[in-house]
Amino acid sequence: MAIHLGEGLAFGAAGVLGGLILSALMEEDEAKKEKPNTDGLQDLADLVKHEAKMALADCKSEEERQAVYAQVRSAIEELQGVMDEKSEAILALQEQKAEAGDEEARTHVENLRQTTASVRTALDDVLKALA
């Protein structure tokens, strides 16, 4: 069960993260450009925390608990690494456009930075809650 936990968290969270990043970049509604919708972020954090707590509750020993926690930590760190890598590539492109005077690209850059920071914080908070 524990082996599948990290994989499940990674796949589910990757979809939510991808959606958040893309929505921060491509949102067409002006009101949402100023403040990206991060409801999915809380859903992601809640899902990760719930699944991890369930897996930890099934542990029969401290060694199992530590192994599950290590898998959860590894999955979260991997997600954060992928998020950082993908957002850096998108940021580089948007920053070039912003430097050329594209105000919409400037907004996208700000939104992506805020969203990325929020996702990182939420995932860090999950690890703290499980420790």
Side-chain angles (χ1 to χ4, degrees), residues 44-90:
L44 168 65
D46 291 345
L47 173 67
V48 171
K49 191 183 304 184
H50 172 75
E51 292 296 321
K53 283 185 177 183
M54 294 294 290
L56 289 170
D58 287 343
C59 293
K60 307 273 189 254
S61 68
E62 184 59 27
E63 291 79 23
E64 285 180 5
R65 184 177 170 8
Q66 289 175 359
V68 168
Y69 180 78
Q71 287 179 337
V72 171
R73 178 185 260 323
S74 176
I76 287 175
E77 288 171 350
E78 184 177 340
L79 283 171
Q80 289 173 328
V82 169
M83 179 185 65
D84 290 345
E85 179 183 311
K86 299 297 181 186
S87 63
E88 284 175 22
I90 295 168

Side-chain angles (χ1 to χ4, degrees), residues 69-125:
Y69 180 78
Q71 287 179 337
V72 171
R73 178 185 260 323
S74 176
I76 287 175
E77 288 171 350
E78 184 177 340
L79 283 171
Q80 289 173 328
V82 169
M83 179 185 65
D84 290 345
E85 179 183 311
K86 299 297 181 186
S87 63
E88 284 175 22
I90 295 168
L91 275 171
L93 177 63
Q94 292 298 318
E95 285 173 340
Q96 286 176 351
K97 291 180 181 180
E99 288 173 7
D102 184 340
E103 286 303 314
E104 189 173 316
R106 248 185 256 289
T107 301
H108 290 322
V109 167
E110 292 170 19
N111 287 344
L112 181 56
R113 284 193 176 131
Q114 290 173 356
T115 301
T116 302
S118 295
V119 170
R120 179 169 285 286
T121 299
L123 293 173
D124 286 342
D125 289 347

Side-chain angles (χ1 to χ4, degrees), residues 12-13 15-17 19-20 23 36-48 115 119 122-123:
V16 174
L17 290 175
L20 284 170
S23 71
N37 179 355
T38 56
D39 291 341
L41 174 59
Q42 188 57 51
D43 293 342
L44 168 65
D46 291 345
L47 173 67
V48 171
T115 301
V119 170
L123 293 173

